[in-house]
């Protein structure tokens, strides 16, 4: 049965309205069970192809249309890729999360959907991994549905100028950093969040980025804003399954910024390029005869993740004598917080994504609450800060400089 699935709306409560679009009635029912038990979500219906989704949304009054659409890509009549741009034209601001197979073909399709306007993706879990009963899959799905509904519903405010600190800052020791809870450095810094004060430090030798839930769009926004060549290499850990990270690197390379590739064991890290940790492998940084090299390991997961951000940052601190610029983007949990402590203690620089633009303010929030972040900003402005470190800032970066 592939016809529309109609469920009664929840009573008198502002819930996130979700529509399901999948040609498999079994998949629709499974997604409805996973999401429908959450009191913050309202499953308003399910349809079997893209044309049915367009018809169903068109028939709804504007105030009853979905906030989030979970969209399968391979369907009869009208597939997800064909329907996606039409859905976004019909309802601008709709958060579309594509559900893709856990295969290379599925990864390629998911990245193509992101370039066409999808907000995010979820890989459909295999039966061997517990299927849709896997608690980790349910947690990721719920976080993405709720997070994207919130981000899409709250238009980002115009960037505000950074508050300058009076007078020059004394140079701290290489092992120390200063914290000020009273003077946030940028508008949007939550009250009470301690801020690590910038000081004179050696120029970074490595840019190290960590991301998880919601990170695909955050990484894309960050990389796209890097409009000038970077004089240092960059390493990226994005929590993703094996097979998807090579497609992520290809996706980032298409955005007009630095070129990216999945890291290879023993590969020399070259300035102006990004190296993405492969799924299910930790990416470490080591010193080699000619400079820094990538080292891939199958060590134990950290923070329930492999690849994980913490081991990457620890190794970067050792390889670069602390001259690391760490950027932590949206994601669940606190992977990267301990690594950022090591970066800060060694005299490096830490930045993190702000709460308003994060799908999940877990990883960047942990870094911020620990007093490690010098800046809490949307990804685009974080990229401008990075460029400003090397005197290559854009007008937006210059506007935000202290």
């Amino acid at each position: 049965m592939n016809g529309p699935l109609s469920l009664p709306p929840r009573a008198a409560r502002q819930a996130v309205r979700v529509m399901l679009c999948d040609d498999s009635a079994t998949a629709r029912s499974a997604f409805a069970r996973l999401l429908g038990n959450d009191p913050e979500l309202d499953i308003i219906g399910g349809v079997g192809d893209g044309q049915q989704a367009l018809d169903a949304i068109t028939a709804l009054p504007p105030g009853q249309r979905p906030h989030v659409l979970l969209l399968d890509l391979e369907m009869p009549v009208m597939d997800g890729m064909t329907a996606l741009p039409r859905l976004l034209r019909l309802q601008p601001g709709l958060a579309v999360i594509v559900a893709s197979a856990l295969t290379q073909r599925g990864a390629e399709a998911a990245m193509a959907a992101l370039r066409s306007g999808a907000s995010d993706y979820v890989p459909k879990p295999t039966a061997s991994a517990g299927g849709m009963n896997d608690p980790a899959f349910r947690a990721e799905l719920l976080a993405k549905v709720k997070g994207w509904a919130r981000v899409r519903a709250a238009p980002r405010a115009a960037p505000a100028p950074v508050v300058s600190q009076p007078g020059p800052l004394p140079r701290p020791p290489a092992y120390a950093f200063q914290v000020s809870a009273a003077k946030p450095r940028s508008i949007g810094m939550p009250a009470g969040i301690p801020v690590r004060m910038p000081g004179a430090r050696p120029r970074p030798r490595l840019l190290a980025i960590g991301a998880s839930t919601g990170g695909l769009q955050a990484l894309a926004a960050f990389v796209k804003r890097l409009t000038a060549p970077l004089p240092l290499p960059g390493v990226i850990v994005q929590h993703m399954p094996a097979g998807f990270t090579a497609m992520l690197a290809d996706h980032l390379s298409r955005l007009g910024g630095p070129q990216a590739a999945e890291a290879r064991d023993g590969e020399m890290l070259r300035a102006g390029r990004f190296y993405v940790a492969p799924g299910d492998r930790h990416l470490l940084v080591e010193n080699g005869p000619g400079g820094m090299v990538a080292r891939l390991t199958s060590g134990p997961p950290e923070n329930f993740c492999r690849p994980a951000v913490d081991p990457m940052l620890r190794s970067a601190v050792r390889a670069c004598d602390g001259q690391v610029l760490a950027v932590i983007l949206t994601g669940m949990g606190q992977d990267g917080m301990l690594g950022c402590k090591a970066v800060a203690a060694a005299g490096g620089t830490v930045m993190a994504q702000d709460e308003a633009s994060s799908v999940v303010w877990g990883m960047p929030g942990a870094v911020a609450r620990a007093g490690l972040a010098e800046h809490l900003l949307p990804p685009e402005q974080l990229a401008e800060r990075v460029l400003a470190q090397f005197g290559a800032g854009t007008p937006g970066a210059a506007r935000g400089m202290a």
Side-chain angles (χ1 to χ4, degrees):
M1 176 179 174
N2 290 330
L5 169 68
S6 297
L7 299 175
R10 300 190 186 276
R13 177 172 45 77
Q14 279 298 106
V16 174
R17 295 186 296 273
V18 183
M19 181 174 284
L20 310 174
C21 183
D22 196 303
D23 64 314
S24 166
T26 301
R28 292 199 305 272
S29 296
F31 279 122
R33 285 195 304 272
L34 280 178
L35 300 173
N37 291 329
D38 192 293
E40 297 179 19
L41 304 180
D42 184 359
I43 310 300
I44 63 172
V47 295
D49 62 65
Q51 185 60 59
Q52 289 184 8
L54 288 164
D55 294 344
I57 293 175
T58 301
L60 289 170
Q64 297 178 24
R65 290 181 173 182
H67 301 107
V68 179
L69 176 68
L70 194 59
L71 180 67
D72 188 24
L73 293 178
E74 297 186 6
M75 297 179 291
V77 183
M78 183 183 291
D79 62 56
M81 284 300 298
T82 302
L84 178 58
R86 303 183 189 187
L87 288 161
L88 295 176
R89 284 196 299 269
L90 174 63
Q91 186 179 339
L94 175 67
V96 177
I97 300 174
V98 298
S100 62
L102 196 59
T103 61
Q104 180 171 341
R105 179 180 174 185
E108 292 172 347
M111 297 304 148
L114 290 175
R115 290 191 291 273
S116 296
S119 297
D120 216 322
Y121 85 105
V122 287
K124 291 182 178 178
T126 60
S128 61
M132 291 194 186
N133 294 320
D134 179 10
F137 174 73
R138 182 174 186 270
E140 178 184 8
L141 179 62
L142 286 171
K144 288 182 176 180
V145 168
K146 294 179 184 180
W148 278 113
R150 176 184 55 79
V151 169
R152 289 287 191 234
R156 190 178 301 173
V162 174
V163 179
S164 299
Q165 302 295 328
L169 291 166
R171 177 169 181 165
Y175 57 85
F177 59 92
Q178 303 171 1
V179 171
S180 168
K183 294 183 179 180
R185 283 192 54 79
S186 62
I187 302 301
M189 185 79 74
I193 292 290
V195 185
R196 183 176 177 231
M197 304 297 287
R201 299 189 183 93
R203 177 174 289 197
R205 294 169 52 198
L206 182 74
L207 173 59
I209 305 169
S212 185
T213 311
L216 299 185
Q217 293 291 17
L219 280 168
F222 179 89
V223 170
K224 197 170 184 178
R225 191 60 67 93
L226 295 175
T227 54
L230 288 175
L232 76 176
V235 288
I236 297 173
V237 168
Q238 162 74 50
H239 297 159
M240 294 183 85
F244 276 67
T245 44
M247 296 302 104
L248 170 61
D250 176 71
H251 173 63
L252 296 177
S253 292
R254 296 169 182 251
L255 300 177
Q259 292 295 292
E262 195 174 54
R264 296 174 297 176
D265 189 55
E267 181 178 17
M268 183 77 67
L269 301 184
R270 303 190 181 281
R273 295 184 61 86
F274 279 121
Y275 301 85
V276 178
D280 202 35
R281 304 292 300 278
H282 288 310
L283 170 58
L284 308 181
V285 180
E286 293 182 354
N287 278 317
M292 288 180 287
V293 298
R295 186 64 63 202
L296 304 181
T297 79
S298 297
E302 294 194 26
N303 304 299
F304 308 101
C305 299
R306 189 174 62 206
V309 182
D310 277 335
M312 180 264 285
L313 290 176
R314 290 196 306 267
S315 69
V317 168
R318 291 192 297 268
C320 300
D321 295 323
Q323 293 172 242
V324 178
L325 173 51
V327 176
I328 304 299
L329 301 175
T330 173
M332 288 192 293
Q334 61 176 24
D335 187 26
M337 188 271 287
L338 293 178
C340 285
K341 278 190 175 180
V343 171
T349 301
V350 177
M351 306 179 187
Q353 188 170 350
D354 66 331
E355 184 173 11
S357 68
S358 295
V359 173
V360 180
W361 207 54
M363 289 165 51
V367 169
R369 293 185 188 98
L372 302 170
E374 295 182 12
H375 305 291
L376 292 180
L377 295 166
E380 300 90 338
Q381 294 180 49
L382 289 173
E384 292 172 351
R385 289 284 179 173
V386 170
L387 291 175
Q389 294 262 330
F390 305 99
T394 64
R399 186 173 58 248
M401 286 299 291

